[in-house]
Amino acid sequence: MHFTVELVLKSYMPKQLEPGMWFITKLNPGTRKEYSEIWALDKFPLEPMEEFIAKHGAPVEPYLIYDEQVLAEPHEIGWWDDGPDYDELRDVELKDINLIINEWDGYVHIEIDEWDFAHEDEVNPIIYADKITITIPGMYDEEEEDDEEGPWLCETCNGSGYGATPDVACPVCHGEGEIYLSDDEENIEEDN
C-alpha cells in the first residue's frame, strides 16, 4: 500500500563543512517562476564556514514526516521507485529531491505496512536494505483502484461458499465464496 507523506528539509549547524552536504537556494524569488534548487557541496569551500553559511545558508537534511511523526531520517532515504514499468529500485538522487520539492510541494508516496495501517491505524514504512522506498504521488493509484473491482468475500457465507448447511451452496455467491460486480451492477454504481 502506498501512502502520502511529506519530505521536509531541516537545516542544521555542522562542526565543519564537508563535500556531499546539501544546501537549498531559492531562484527567481517573488516571481511566478520561483523555485528551489537543492544542491550538494562538491568540494571544501575556500572561505571560512561562517562566511559560507552566511552566504548560502546552513546545510539541510531530508526527513519523511507524517502527522508530526518522523517516519524516516536522512540515512533511511532511500530507494527511488520509477514506477511499475521498472523492475529495479535505485538510490534517491538530488534530481529526485528537486522534483519532489518543486513539482509535488514536498509530498511523496512511500510503501507502508498495510496490515498495521488497517488494524492499528499506524503508518509503518516498509524498509528494504535499511532504506525506505519513495515515489511520486499517484504512481500506483491506478493499480490500487483496480483492486476495487473485486473479488470480495461474500458477506453471507463469509467466503466459505456454503449456504445454511454444508451441502447447500450459498444463495448469494452460488458457492464461489467471492463476489464480482456484474455489468448491470457496475452500470448502476456509475449512474449514482
Side-chain angles (χ1 to χ4, degrees):
M1 174 179 179
H2 289 84
F3 194 78
T4 304
V5 300
E6 188 173 5
L7 177 85
V8 176
L9 298 171
K10 293 184 177 184
S11 61
Y12 65 98
M13 192 55 66
K15 293 180 182 175
Q16 65 181 27
L17 296 176
E18 297 177 9
M21 288 181 166
W22 291 6
F23 292 85
I24 187 166
T25 301
K26 293 262 187 214
L27 301 169
N28 303 320
T31 69
R32 291 182 306 152
K33 296 181 181 182
E34 179 178 333
Y35 68 98
S36 299
E37 180 182 27
I38 293 76
W39 52 277
L41 190 62
D42 58 354
K43 59 185 176 184
F44 290 101
L46 299 176
E47 60 210 85
M49 183 175 88
E50 293 77 19
E51 286 180 33
F52 186 88
I53 289 178
K55 183 177 178 182
H56 299 286
V60 295
E61 292 180 317
Y63 290 83
L64 293 177
I65 309 288
Y66 175 72
D67 197 25
E68 298 183 15
Q69 174 188 2
V70 175
L71 299 176
E73 296 193 7
H75 67 277
E76 296 172 310
I77 302 173
W79 300 115
W80 182 261
D81 184 350
D82 282 311
D85 296 335
Y86 296 87
D87 293 334
E88 296 181 9
L89 301 174
R90 60 177 174 78
D91 286 325
V92 171
E93 300 172 1
L94 278 175
K95 69 177 184 166
D96 304 319
I97 300 298
N98 280 306
L99 174 77
I100 292 164
I101 297 298
N102 291 305
E103 300 296 325
W104 298 98
D105 295 326
Y107 291 98
V108 295
H109 272 185
I110 62 170
E111 198 172 353
I112 64 168
D113 187 301
E114 194 168 346
W115 192 94
D116 285 351
F117 186 71
H119 294 90
E120 305 291 333
D121 201 26
E122 292 181 10
V123 178
N124 292 322
I126 295 176
I127 298 174
Y128 300 106
D130 299 325
K131 294 181 184 178
I132 291 175
T133 303
I134 63 177
T135 190
I136 60 171
M139 183 70 72
Y140 288 95
D141 285 351
E142 186 176 303
E143 179 181 299
E144 291 172 6
E145 286 173 12
D146 290 344
D147 293 343
E148 294 176 11
E149 295 175 8
W152 298 279
L153 287 182
C154 175
E155 290 181 10
T156 305
C157 67
N158 201 23
S160 70
Y162 298 120
T165 61
D167 58 332
V168 178
C170 173
V172 176
C173 68
H174 307 289
E176 295 294 320
E178 297 176 335
I179 300 175
Y180 294 88
L181 287 179
S182 67
D183 290 336
D184 295 335
E185 291 171 316
E186 286 179 8
N187 292 335
I188 291 169
E189 282 191 4
E190 288 175 6
D191 292 340
N192 294 333

